[in-house]
Amino acid sequence: VVELVDVSKIYKTEFYEVKALENVNLEIEEGDFAVIMGPSGSGKSTLLNLIGCLDKPTSGKVLINGIETINLSDKELTELRRDTIGFIFQTYNLIPTLSALENVELPMIFKGISKYERERRAKKLLGIVGLEREMDRKPNELSGGQQQRVAIARALANDPKILLCDEPTGNLDTKSGEQVMDIIKEQNEERGVTVILVTHDPTLAKYGNFIIRLRDGKIEGIEGG
Amino acid sequence: VVELVDVSKIYKTEFYEVKALENVNLEIEEGDFAVIMGPSGSGKSTLLNLIGCLDKPTSGKVLINGIETINLSDKELTELRRDTIGFIFQTYNLIPTLSALENVELPMIFKGISKYERERRAKKLLGIVGLEREMDRKPNELSGGQQQRVAIARALANDPKILLCDEPTGNLDTKSGEQVMDIIKEQNEERGVTVILVTHDPTLAKYGNFIIRLRDGKIEGIEGG
Ligand SMILES: Nc1ncnc2c1ncn2[C@@H]1O[C@H](COP(=O)(O)OP(=O)(O)OP(=O)(O)O)[C@@H](O)[C@H]1O
Ligand SMILES: Nc1ncnc2c1ncn2[C@@H]1O[C@H](COP(=O)(O)OP(=O)(O)OP(=O)(O)O)[C@@H](O)[C@H]1O
Ligand SMILES: [Mg+2]
Ligand SMILES: [Mg+2]
């Protein structure tokens, strides 16, 4: 369902070039639970951004469901991201002027879902991550871990087929972190959602059916899968 | 050096009230290495913000070096923060328009340190956190963990006597995390810096000489110390 063929990503500025990813080849099947690990700066978020069609590779091909993303129009890319992909960002990217509830509703608005249904669903998702009582608060009125949990609820808003998670438990205590991993695991096992999860936390490796190790923009090794 | 007497913090809005901290009593001696742990939303960042004089308690007293912070003028508070306290924020709070080097220089500018000395010192600190080659990049050109390491270098810029760390390794891989903890431990052991460190990561507890456990805004227990 996700395929990377000889993908490289180079960030260029007038002063320097950064090889964030180099000749990455990767195949992730539908229903897989892939865990991506590697040192800080090794290219994990870049890899996830390419798979999530938030950025284009400098060279090589990214294919989602067999279609090369380079061939998709901006409109088609937007639909793909909206309907198929759920993204939990390393920096949450919540809208500061919207409440937790409204942040979770946002992806559903773009999908044309009714106000009544949006609120019902958003409340349910916030309840699942333990934030029902905080739903009317804005992000800056929430703790770091609470913001992270809103971001997780939002990623699930449109029932994604592919769930991309960038350090989803970085700001959570062990208990909340386990609750979040259970939610993600359930999506994978019960609903067949393909999960691609980036983490530094070695204890999360066990959730995946295979592990991809990145170092300096290259795949160092793949275990399982 | 840090004392909290019956401290409470209530966040009020027109719609609701949140008891973030309730009757917290705490004494931290000079040279201590205090580790604060607790679930997401338990009040850790709030506690650190009060100690760092970034916010005032709703009731109770915060004393730094025996002086009640409530009695300090804004000017005195600014000097205290600038000269005595180094703060590693949970969300880094880097200036997006400044390079990594300039972000680390910033606290030194307020202290009137010469350009030459500022640059020398900032480069040294970025070198210590392994970011010398990235010093001219802006925050959005750095990975999450790299941004976190810039925030750590910046907190050390003015040789603080008290180092407040809010999840300093949340976005770092094990190796980078250990390097950062070694830096912080060295500040404590070699330079007698008082360290107050908030973390979810139980493996960091061993660095401290005592552990404060928070739950729902109250101190649940104190071990060691
Ligand atoms: N916009 C950008 N411009 C320039 N360089 C960038 C940019 N974004 C990332 N980089 C660089 O690309 C490399 C990979 O970054 P990436 O964010 O993918 O790493 P990461 O593995 O997610 O790191 P972390 O674990 O710290 O989040 C890093 O060296 C980083 O400095
Ligand atoms: N500005 C604010 N307005 C209203 N409530 C707030 C505000 N900041 C924090 N809170 C609430 O106060 C409580 C404590 O927040 P705090 O950020 O101190 O928790 P924390 O222990 O640091 O959490 P985390 O581990 O998730 O970072 C939480 O319930 C949070 O929702
Ligand atoms: Mg990253
Ligand atoms: Mg916090």
Side-chain angles (χ1 to χ4, degrees), chain A residues 78-137:
Chain A
T78 308
E79 278 164 13
L80 179 63
R81 280 196 296 267
R82 185 194 64 202
D83 301 340
T84 305
I85 298 169
F87 209 129
I88 303 167
F89 293 91
Q90 191 167 7
T91 51
Y92 320 144
N93 296 2
L94 299 177
I95 312 292
T97 47
L98 300 182
S99 70
L101 186 75
E102 292 162 336
N103 264 287
V104 178
E105 285 188 68
L106 205 52
M108 293 185 254
I109 293 173
F110 298 130
K111 205 164 181 171
I113 295 175
S114 75
K115 177 71 180 160
Y116 171 81
E117 176 58 16
R118 284 204 312 268
E119 274 197 22
R120 192 198 61 76
R121 206 168 147 58
K123 284 179 185 167
K124 176 159 164 287
L125 287 167
L126 285 169
I128 289 173
V129 295
L131 288 176
E132 217 164 66
R133 286 178 301 132
E134 287 85 357
M135 69 172 77
D136 295 320
R137 295 210 215 147

Side-chain angles (χ1 to χ4, degrees), chain A residues 16 40 90 149 171 173 200, chain B residues 16 40 90 141 171 173 200:
Chain A
Y16 63 84
S40 173
Q90 191 167 7
R149 282 182 273 154
N171 267 301
D173 57 282
H200 291 122
Chain B
Y16 63 84
S40 172
Q90 192 166 7
E141 298 170 338
N171 266 302
D173 58 282
H200 291 122

Side-chain angles (χ1 to χ4, degrees), chain B:
Chain B
V1 67
V2 171
E3 203 184 340
L4 273 68
V5 180
D6 239 23
V7 162
S8 292
K9 178 68 183 179
I10 302 177
Y11 293 108
K12 286 191 195 23
T13 75
E14 48 184 293
F15 303 111
Y16 63 84
E17 258 189 30
V18 178
K19 279 196 167 81
L21 290 175
E22 232 176 301
N23 299 105
V24 168
N25 288 280
L26 195 50
E27 261 185 61
I28 297 171
E29 312 287 336
E30 187 169 356
D32 270 345
F33 192 133
V35 177
I36 303 177
M37 307 191 71
S40 172
S42 55
K44 302 181 295 299
S45 296
T46 301
L47 181 55
L48 227 53
N49 290 346
L50 292 179
I51 294 171
C53 304
L54 292 165
D55 200 359
K56 293 190 194 300
T58 311
S59 63
K61 299 192 255 183
V62 177
L63 297 94
I64 308 285
N65 295 325
I67 306 167
E68 275 193 58
T69 57
I70 209 87
N71 297 337
L72 297 174
S73 68
D74 280 352
K75 184 177 181 309
E76 289 167 317
L77 278 170
T78 308
E79 278 165 15
L80 180 63
R81 280 196 295 266
R82 184 195 64 201
D83 300 342
T84 305
I85 298 169
F87 210 129
I88 303 167
F89 294 92
Q90 192 166 7
T91 51
Y92 320 144
N93 295 1
L94 300 177
I95 311 292
T97 46
L98 301 182
S99 71
L101 187 75
E102 293 163 334
N103 264 287
V104 178
E105 285 188 67
L106 206 51
M108 294 186 255
I109 293 173
F110 298 130
K111 205 163 178 170
I113 296 176
S114 75
K115 177 74 180 159
Y116 171 80
E117 176 58 16
R118 285 206 308 268
E119 274 196 21
R120 190 198 63 76
R121 204 167 152 56
K123 284 180 186 169
K124 177 160 166 286
L125 288 166
L126 284 170
I128 290 172
V129 295
L131 287 176
E132 215 162 70
R133 285 179 302 131
E134 287 84 356
M135 69 172 76
D136 295 321
R137 294 210 216 148
K138 293 196 173 27
N140 71 345
E141 298 170 338
L142 294 170
S143 77
Q146 289 171 331
Q147 292 175 33
Q148 187 159 39
R149 283 182 273 154
V150 175
I152 291 159
R154 183 187 59 186
L156 298 172
N158 282 340
D159 270 326
K161 306 278 177 313
I162 304 172
L163 189 58
L164 306 178
C165 320
D166 199 348
E167 312 279 357
T169 61
N171 266 302
L172 300 179
D173 58 282
T174 316
K175 184 150 154 291
S176 314
E178 280 165 5
Q179 285 166 345
V180 158
M181 289 311 297
D182 287 343
I183 296 165
I184 295 174
K185 190 172 75 167
E186 189 180 84
Q187 291 287 314
N188 176 251
E189 291 178 350
E190 317 268 320
R191 303 189 45 248
V193 170
T194 308
V195 175
I196 307 174
L197 183 139
V198 158
T199 183
H200 291 122
D201 183 348
T203 68
L204 301 193
K206 64 175 181 276
Y207 287 91
N209 65 315
F210 73 106
I211 299 166
I212 302 152
R213 296 195 184 277
L214 272 188
R215 178 174 296 279
D216 298 325
K218 298 195 191 68
I219 291 189
E220 193 178 45
I222 298 185
E223 301 153 32

Side-chain angles (χ1 to χ4, degrees), chain A residues 18-201:
Chain A
V18 178
K19 281 195 166 85
L21 289 175
E22 231 176 304
N23 300 104
V24 168
N25 288 282
L26 195 50
E27 262 185 60
I28 297 170
E29 311 287 336
E30 186 168 359
D32 270 343
F33 193 134
V35 177
I36 303 177
M37 307 192 70
S40 173
S42 55
K44 302 180 295 299
S45 297
T46 302
L47 181 56
L48 227 54
N49 290 343
L50 292 181
I51 294 171
C53 304
L54 293 165
D55 200 0
K56 294 190 192 300
T58 311
S59 63
K61 299 192 253 180
V62 176
L63 298 95
I64 309 284
N65 296 324
I67 306 168
E68 275 192 59
T69 57
I70 209 86
N71 296 336
L72 297 175
S73 68
D74 281 349
K75 187 178 178 306
E76 289 168 314
L77 277 171
T78 308
E79 278 164 13
L80 179 63
R81 280 196 296 267
R82 185 194 64 202
D83 301 340
T84 305
I85 298 169
F87 209 129
I88 303 167
F89 293 91
Q90 191 167 7
T91 51
Y92 320 144
N93 296 2
L94 299 177
I95 312 292
T97 47
L98 300 182
S99 70
L101 186 75
E102 292 162 336
N103 264 287
V104 178
E105 285 188 68
L106 205 52
M108 293 185 254
I109 293 173
F110 298 130
K111 205 164 181 171
I113 295 175
S114 75
K115 177 71 180 160
Y116 171 81
E117 176 58 16
R118 284 204 312 268
E119 274 197 22
R120 192 198 61 76
R121 206 168 147 58
K123 284 179 185 167
K124 176 159 164 287
L125 287 167
L126 285 169
I128 289 173
V129 295
L131 288 176
E132 217 164 66
R133 286 178 301 132
E134 287 85 357
M135 69 172 77
D136 295 320
R137 295 210 215 147
K138 295 197 171 26
N140 71 345
E141 299 170 339
L142 295 170
S143 78
Q146 289 171 331
Q147 291 175 33
Q148 188 160 37
R149 282 182 273 154
V150 175
I152 291 158
R154 183 186 59 185
L156 298 172
N158 282 341
D159 271 325
K161 306 279 177 312
I162 304 172
L163 188 57
L164 307 179
C165 320
D166 200 348
E167 312 278 358
T169 61
N171 267 301
L172 301 179
D173 57 282
T174 315
K175 185 151 156 292
S176 315
E178 281 167 3
Q179 285 166 344
V180 159
M181 287 313 296
D182 286 342
I183 296 164
I184 295 174
K185 191 172 74 167
E186 189 181 81
Q187 292 286 314
N188 177 251
E189 291 180 349
E190 317 267 320
R191 303 190 43 249
V193 170
T194 308
V195 175
I196 306 172
L197 183 138
V198 158
T199 183
H200 291 122
D201 184 350

